Amino acid sequence: MKIDRNAPVGVFDSGVGGLTVAREIMRNLPSEKIVYFGDTARVPYGSKSKETVIRYSRQIIRFLQEQQVKAIVVACNTASAFALDLIKGELEIPVLGVIEPGARVAASETKNKRVGVIGTEGTVGSGIHASYLKRLDKEIQVIGKACPLFVPLVEEGWLHDSLTTEVAFRYLKELQEKDIDTLILGCTHYPLLRSTIREVMGENVRLVNPAYETALELGRLLKEKDLLNTGTKQEKFPYKFYVSDLADKFKDFANSILPYDVEMTKKIDIERY
Amino acid sequence: MKIDRNAPVGVFDSGVGGLTVAREIMRNLPSEKIVYFGDTARVPYGSKSKETVIRYSRQIIRFLQEQQVKAIVVACNTASAFALDLIKGELEIPVLGVIEPGARVAASETKNKRVGVIGTEGTVGSGIHASYLKRLDKEIQVIGKACPLFVPLVEEGWLHDSLTTEVAFRYLKELQEKDIDTLILGCTHYPLLRSTIREVMGENVRLVNPAYETALELGRLLKEKDLLNTGTKQEKFPYKFYVSDLADKFKDFANSILPYDVEMTKKIDIERY
C-alpha cells in the first residue's frame, strides 16, 4: 500500500485532553495536517473495561481511516494501555501511543532510579507505565499516584489558581517523600498543570511530558517511513476537529489551549462506525 | 398483576450518588428491603445523549425486574430527566424519580419565588427542574448553577474540608447575589456536602434534599398502593448492592456513607440485559 505523505495525521482521545498532544505536534511538526477526534460522548475511558475501550478505539480508527490519515496517534493513556498493541497489528499505517515515549525518556533521565507516575485512577491502577519502565530498566522503582481532581480542575479552567496548587500539594506530597527525581505526567490533561506541578515538586524533579515526547517520536517515525509532509501545498484549514458530543464546549476548550483559532468542530455519530 | 408487598424496592443510579437516596429510604422506611444498582462502568450519565440514557435505564430495569422488585426509584437526576416518563408507561409497578419530589417541596417553601438549582452541567443545562417548578407555579424564577467539581470532591472523600468550602464559595456566590431563598441540591452526591453548602449559603436559605423528599414520596406511594412491607419476616441481608464495575471501590464508598455495614457488593454484566 502506498501511503500519501501529504495526508493528515489522525489523533484521538477520549475527550479534550489529547489536544495537548495535538498542540505539541502543531509546534514541533508544523507542516503536518491533523484530524483530531475527541470521544466527548463516551468520556472518560479510565473507568471502562478493556473490551469496551478496544471496541471504542476500533470505531474511531475506522472513522479516521475514512479521513485517509497517514498515521495515527493514540493520545489517550487508557486507550494506549488497552488497545495499542492490538490496533498496531490490524493497520498498515504507523500507529503510536503516549505511554512508551514518556516511559523511554523517564528511564533514560532518572539518576536515582525512582520514577513517579501521576494519572487517573484507571491509568495508575493498570500499572502500565511501570511495566514499560521495568522493561527498559528493571532496577527502576515506580511510584504511582492517582490525582482524580486534576482533570475536573483543568476542565473548569482553574489552571493557575491557588486552589489547584493546594490540591496539587496534597496529591504530590507522597511522591516528594519517596524521593523521586523524575515524574511522568501520565494523563493528557496534566501538561496544562505543568507550572503548578513544577511549583510543588521543585526544580530538582524532571517533569516528563509524554505529549511532547510523542510529537518528537511521531516526527522520527514519519521520517523513517519517508512520510513527512513535504509542505508544498498550504491548506486553509490544516487542522480538523471532530467530536461525538457537545461540539461547542469542545471548541471553547480547544481555543483556550491551542496556538491556533479553531474555526469549526463537527459532531459525528461515532457509534455508526 | 399481583405485586408482592414484601418484595424489595429497586433503586438505581449511574454510580454511587444514589446511595444518598437509598440511605433516606433506610432511615425513613426501615421495614423496606432494597436492591441497589450502581452503573459504575458507564458513569457519568450527565454527558450522555437522551437515547443512550434511555437504553441504559431500560437495561437496569430489566435487571431489577429479574430481582422481582415491587417498585423502582430512579435515583439519578439525568435518568429521571430523560427516561422516567417513558419508563413509567412501560411498567406495571410504581416508579418514581428524584426531580419531581424536590421541585414540589421547593415550590411550596419558597417565599420570594426565587429558587436556585445546583447540579451537574447536564442536569442544569437540561432545565428539567425549571420546567417542573414552572408547571407548579409559573411565577417562580429558577437560577441554575453547574458545580462540576462537587462530584469528584465527594468521591475523593473530602467532605468536611477547607478546600471544598473554598470551591463551594466560588460556585454559590452567584446564587447568593441573586437572592434565592430556596436551593435544590439537584445531584445525588450533593447531600453529602450539605454542611458545607449550609455554611456558605447561611441559615436563611432553605436547602431541599431531593433524596429525603423522594423517600417520603416513596412511602406515600407504597401506602396508597397497599404495598408497604408488613415487616413480618426479618431478613439477614435486607439490602443488596450490585454494580457494573469496581465493586470493591463501591463498597468502600457505601460503607463510608450508609448507616449500615455493606457485606457484599456484586458486579454484574449489565450489557447482557
Side-chain angles (χ1 to χ4, degrees), chain A residues 40-41 43-44 47-49 55-56 121 148-149 152-153 156 158 161-163 166-167 170-171 245 249 271, chain B residues 40-41 43-44 47-49 55-56 121 148-149 152-153 156 158 161-163 166-167 170-171 245 249 271:
Chain A
T40 48
V43 69
S47 53
K48 291 181 173 68
S49 69
R55 185 159 58 83
Y56 290 178
E121 235 157 321
L149 278 165
L153 283 165
E156 197 64 327
W158 297 356
D161 192 299
S162 59
L163 210 141
E166 168 68 20
V167 173
R170 292 195 194 184
Y171 282 143
D245 214 351
K249 197 182 152 197
E271 309 234 1
Chain B
T40 48
V43 70
S47 54
K48 292 183 173 65
S49 70
R55 185 158 59 82
Y56 289 177
E121 235 158 320
L149 278 165
L153 282 166
E156 196 64 325
W158 297 356
D161 192 299
S162 60
L163 209 143
E166 168 67 19
V167 172
R170 291 195 194 184
Y171 282 142
D245 213 350
K249 199 183 151 195
E271 310 233 1

Side-chain angles (χ1 to χ4, degrees), chain B residues 55-84:
Chain B
R55 185 158 59 82
Y56 289 177
S57 300
R58 282 192 174 130
Q59 286 177 322
I60 296 167
I61 281 165
R62 280 191 286 273
F63 166 73
L64 290 174
Q65 285 182 301
E66 206 180 85
Q67 313 306 309
Q68 306 191 306
V69 298
K70 67 178 173 183
I72 289 177
V73 178
V74 184
C76 167
N77 284 274
T78 310
S80 294
F82 285 168
L84 184 64

